[in-house]
Structures are given as C-alpha cells and as structure tokens.
Amino acid sequence: MECALATMKPTKMTRALAGVMLCVLGLWLALATPYQRRTVVSDAASCHMAVDIIEPLSGVTHGSVLLLHGLSANKKIMSYVGEGFSEEGLRVFIPDLAGHGRTAGPFSPARAENCTESFVRELISVHVMVPEHAILAGHSMGGAIAIRVASRVPIAGVLAISPAPMRAAHRSKPEMLLFNSAPPLGVNALVISGAWEPESMRGAAWDLATSGDEGKVQNLVIPRATHVSLLFNQEAVRASQQWTAKVLHLEGATRLPTRWPLLGFFLGFAGLIVLTPPFLRELLGKNSVAEPILQVGVARLLLGVAACSVVSVLLLRWRNFLRPLHLFEGDYFAGFLLINGGLLVLLHRNSVQAAFRTSPALEQVRKILMAAICAFVVLLLFSGWFDLTFSGAWLGAARWLRFPAFFLACLPYHGAEEILAGAADSGGAARHLALALSLRLIAWCALLGGIFFLQSGEILLVLLAPYFGLFCMLQRLSMDVVRRETGSAAAAAVFGAILMSGFCLAIFPVA
C-alpha cells in the first residue's frame, strides 16, 4: 500500500506541473501581440456596441476596415483576420453585435444589421472612416450584413467570408435563413468560401459572386477549409490582404499575422484539460460508499431515449414554454432538455427513485454541494481562458440572470442520463462513456430531424453541432470522474448541468 502511494504522488505532481506549464506557456504566447488594441463603446442608434480597434504599432493608417463576426460568435474570434488587415496599415473596427459578447441584447438579424449601418454612418460622419478608403468585411452572418449595408452606404469594397445564405437555394430552406433577400453586389467585392463547407454555403457564395458587376467581383474557394477554419487560414487571409491592397491602392509587401497566439490558446486549453481530473479528485475526495448499479436494459434505454426525444420535438413544435428565457434558439434547446429529461424520469421513475434512496440525505447534499463548487470553478477557469485568448466566453450579468432557469431545465435530462447509464465503472469507463454519448447522439438526431423535417428553423443548432460534440465528450469525461469520486449520480448530474448551462449561455445570443 505504501509503495502504491509513493508512486501515485509523483505521478499526480508530474501531471499537475505539466498542466501548469502548458497554461503558463500558452498565456505567454497568447498575449504576445505586436498591435495596438483598445475597446470602446459605440452609442450609434442606441446600440451600445462594444468595439475593438486594432491598429499597427506605428500609429500610421492608410484606411479602415469594419469587420463583423458571425452568428453566435464575437469580436475576439475575429482577431486573426483583423490583425491581417492591420498589417497593411489599416485601422480595424471589430464590434460585438447586439446580444453577442460584451454587447447587450436584444439580438435579431435585423437589429444587428441596423446597428452596423448606424455605426458605419457615424464613423463616416465624424470622418473616422473615409468611404473611398474603407472596406466592409464579415464572416457568415457578418458577411451577409456587410453585403447588405454596402448596398446602401457608399464604400470602396466588401469582403464576405463564407457569407450566410440569403435566399432559398442549394438546399437552404426559407425557415433557416437569417435574411430573405440578397442585394446584388454593386461594388468591388471578394467572396471567400471553404472547399469543405456544405453545398448550401458554397452555392450561396457563388450566387453572390455572379450577381455582381463583371470584373468587380471575385469568388475564391480555399482548399481543405471549413466554415470556421477560414478565420485562421493563412491562404484566406493572404487573399484578403492582396484584394484589399488592390481596392484601396496600398503599396508595399505585407506579412501575415503570427499564429503563435492560436497555438498559445490550444496549449493552455490542453493544460486545463490535464489539470481538471486531478483537481476534481483532490477536492471531492474518494468516496468509500458508492450507489448500487441499477440494471436497465440497453436496448430498452436507447428506444426510450429515442421515443422521448421525438415526443419532445413534437411538443416544442406546438409550444416552447421557455421562450421567456430570450436566448436566440437557446430557449428551444433548453426546452428540449427539460421535456426530454422529464419524460425519461417519468418513464424510468422506479430506477430514479431507487437512486435517491441509497445514501443519507445529509451525505447526498454534501456531495452535491461539493460537485457544484467544482463545476463553477471549472466553468470559470475554462470560460476565462477562452475569453482571454480565443473567443469571448465570459458570462455577463444578463447571462448570469438566466443561469438558474437554464440550469433547472438541464438538470432532469442530466439526472436521468446519469442514473440510467449506470455507474461510471460499471462494465468499464469506456463502455459507460460510449453509452452516455450514444444517448446524446440519439437525442441530437431527433433535434436535427425537427429542424429539417418539421421546419422548426433552429438552424443555429446545426451550425453548433460540432462544438456541442466536443463539449459533450469533455463534459462526460469530467462527469465520470465526479461519479467515481462521490459515488453519487445526483452529484454528477448537478456538475454536468452546471457545465452545460454555462456553455449554452456563452454561445447562444441574448434575444
């Protein structure tokens, strides 16, 4: 026993030191920037948009760019593209659109467009932006807004990176569109799309390019690029620089911005992942009494989740009772989790009741409180790291006010999943992880079915699916640690529901 303890402690210490070193190195790389950056608040049209301004260290500028982020994104994630423009001696304005990042809601596509147009007109009116030396640029929804605003405001050119479709074509359905009309491109324009994007995105980009004046509009497809990776793709940024230099008549060679900050983000992110399991084990402590493993047939469980998920989608088609949350499509997701979880609890009520009769009430409360503390610490660490280095993820007051309701909506599903999937070490951790993720995959397929076959229009859930997949993998792994250390399904469920609530409140716009 003593020998085992002696070998465990150095291993834990080595892992902790490795995680800390990754975080420190990542922070050093992420914060090393050769650009001037400041944040202001624009009161144009009472939108109160938080705006980052990036300028070269020399302070000498030869024009300006207004750079717009996409749906469920923020100004921070546009930094690499913005720095590429700054390398050309341009002053870059990157706002958080309404309901995103540091800008308060409410969000709607129309309001985001109106706020952008008011901001551009204000910059022009105070001579901060000269139309003949200015570019409107944007990604996804931001690209569509840039095109629409450029059709009404005189500007030198518009750059649309993977613009959101604005008409029903190429398998884009009307209910999925943020805007229902696409103005022709009457100015110099560059439309960029990725070869690995869906056909609807590439087709929409081609339609836009062919709608403009011949010779003024270029369409560029970047090989091996996805919708999001275009924001960090050197070929896309180089093409943007060359096109901008031509339109604004800039001279001199331009270098690409460094991607060391991006590497720093990934190093620190990996460091936090390494640190999380030992942190949870140390704070929770090993539990000597575990809950008994509940026996539920796998086939019955999978069919039950499928049935409950389909019923949840059908009920949401009739009415979403969580609409007062005012989260753009996040209220739909919260409603799905609440209804689905409630149905699963009712369907397996005997198993759920048995899980809560296995340990004294005070001991159960202690485990839940410790798991909740751990969840908030992990949530704040990861959201703080994202906000500092990669993408604005820190929850403002408006989002924290929605936290209790979102948490209560998430809790039934996480509780049912944790209880029904069994203890984390029943049949092996890998088997438990695979079963829990299979349940979520079934639920997600029902969600997508509602979007594509019932025309629910919740297109943001489709766009966010890859990120939910990664989050669910990491969340489930950490939930399994909590389950093993506490022996409590309730504690693991509370831990997971807190993380899910924080993740959703960070990515869904305030509507």
Side-chain angles (χ1 to χ4, degrees):
M1 185 69 174
E2 292 179 359
C3 182
L5 290 173
T7 57
M8 277 183 66
K9 291 179 180 178
T11 302
K12 288 183 178 179
M13 183 63 68
T14 301
R15 184 170 184 172
L17 287 175
V20 171
M21 289 177 64
L22 285 172
C23 290
V24 171
L25 178 59
L27 185 64
W28 178 69
L29 291 173
L31 298 184
T33 174
Y35 310 98
Q36 295 187 57
R37 185 189 297 267
R38 56 194 172 96
T39 302
V40 299
V41 176
S42 167
D43 291 326
S46 300
C47 293
H48 307 294
M49 292 193 302
V51 183
D52 277 357
I53 303 176
I54 305 177
E55 297 177 302
L57 288 176
S58 65
V60 179
T61 59
H62 308 290
S64 54
V65 177
L66 177 62
L67 182 58
L68 306 172
H69 63 74
L71 182 62
S72 191
N74 50 75
K75 55 186 172 60
K76 185 74 175 179
I77 203 171
M78 304 299 292
S79 293
Y80 184 71
V81 178
E83 290 165 359
F85 289 125
S86 181
E87 285 286 355
E88 296 184 284
L90 301 174
R91 180 185 290 115
V92 187
F93 300 91
I94 315 177
D96 273 335
L97 298 176
H100 294 73
R102 297 289 193 273
T103 300
F107 164 77
S108 70
R111 186 165 189 264
E113 180 181 346
N114 292 336
C115 289
T116 300
E117 182 173 344
S118 298
F119 182 47
V120 173
R121 292 188 183 279
E122 181 183 70
L123 292 176
I124 293 175
S125 68
V126 297
H127 308 293
V128 173
M129 177 180 284
V130 179
E132 295 80 10
H133 300 284
I135 297 292
L136 295 186
H139 172 250
S140 193
M141 178 186 70
I145 292 176
I147 291 169
R148 297 172 69 84
V149 172
S151 68
R152 299 186 296 269
V153 179
I155 212 77
V158 59
L159 168 64
I161 304 172
S162 187
M166 288 180 277
R167 67 184 188 90
H170 308 287
R171 300 182 182 178
S172 292
K173 297 182 179 180
E175 63 275 4
M176 296 182 179
L177 302 179
L178 298 174
F179 306 99
N180 55 18
S181 63
L185 288 170
V187 296
N188 291 300
L190 173 63
V191 181
I192 298 178
S193 57
W196 289 354
E197 288 192 279
E199 178 188 346
S200 58
M201 302 296 293
R202 287 184 284 110
W206 173 256
D207 289 345
L208 279 171
T210 55
S211 71
D213 296 341
E214 188 175 354
K216 283 189 173 183
V217 182
Q218 301 178 38
N219 182 48
L220 178 64
V221 179
I222 304 296
R224 300 179 299 280
T226 65
H227 185 67
V228 175
S229 71
L230 283 170
L231 296 178
F232 310 97
N233 186 286
Q234 289 184 325
E235 186 177 344
V237 172
R238 171 63 75 190
S240 302
Q241 290 176 326
Q242 293 173 346
W243 175 83
T244 304
K246 180 180 178 181
V247 171
L248 299 183
H249 308 292
L250 304 176
E251 298 180 356
T254 303
R255 66 178 183 177
L256 288 167
T258 177
R259 289 199 290 187
W260 286 116
L262 184 62
L263 175 61
F265 157 73
F266 282 113
L267 288 176
F269 184 60
L272 290 177
I273 291 175
V274 170
L275 286 171
T276 297
F279 162 75
L280 294 176
R281 294 187 185 101
E282 288 297 323
L283 195 60
L284 293 172
K286 188 66 178 178
N287 184 66
S288 57
V289 180
E291 296 172 354
I293 300 171
L294 303 172
Q295 299 298 325
V296 178
V298 173
R300 180 190 171 202
L301 179 56
L302 295 177
L303 288 174
V305 170
C308 291
S309 299
V310 171
V311 172
S312 300
V313 170
L314 293 174
L315 289 175
L316 285 172
R317 179 67 174 165
W318 170 58
R319 177 176 294 182
N320 181 8
F321 296 98
L322 292 185
R323 190 70 68 188
L325 274 176
H326 296 301
L327 283 174
F328 185 77
E329 301 190 11
D331 48 18
Y332 181 91
F333 183 65
F336 175 79
L337 289 178
L338 177 61
I339 297 172
N340 198 3
L343 291 175
L344 285 171
V345 169
L346 287 175
L347 186 63
H348 300 278
R349 54 188 176 277
N350 293 332
S351 298
V352 173
Q353 290 172 359
F356 285 95
R357 291 197 298 261
T358 56
S359 60
L362 287 178
E363 179 64 13
Q364 189 75 272
V365 170
R366 185 193 70 79
K367 294 175 182 178
I368 292 173
L369 286 177
M370 291 303 297
I373 292 171
C374 289
F376 279 113
V377 172
V378 171
L379 173 61
L380 293 175
L381 283 175
F382 275 88
S383 61
W385 180 255
F386 268 78
D387 191 77
L388 183 65
T389 61
F390 182 71
S391 175
W394 194 255
L395 303 185
R399 298 177 188 274
W400 277 118
L401 287 173
R402 291 164 168 79
F403 188 92
F406 210 105
F407 167 75
L408 292 175
C410 292
L411 189 57
Y413 177 82
H414 284 80
E417 176 190 88
E418 189 62 37
I419 292 169
L420 298 174
D425 55 355
S426 60
R431 180 179 179 275
H432 176 266
L433 176 64
L435 178 58
L437 292 178
S438 297
L439 299 182
R440 296 197 183 190
L441 180 61
I442 292 172
W444 201 264
C445 287
L447 267 177
L448 297 183
I451 294 170
F452 287 106
F453 298 110
L454 299 180
Q455 287 87 44
S456 64
E458 312 296 323
I459 186 60
L460 185 53
L461 295 176
V462 179
L463 300 177
L464 294 175
Y467 312 104
F468 267 101
L470 175 61
F471 167 79
C472 286
M473 174 68 75
L474 297 176
Q475 181 212 27
R476 276 301 333 170
L477 288 170
S478 58
M479 286 175 66
D480 287 354
V481 174
V482 174
R483 180 68 179 271
R484 283 194 296 269
E485 297 302 312
T486 63
S488 169
V494 168
F495 179 89
I498 290 174
L499 293 188
M500 178 64 79
S501 301
F503 177 75
C504 291
L505 288 168
I507 61 175
F508 288 111
V510 178

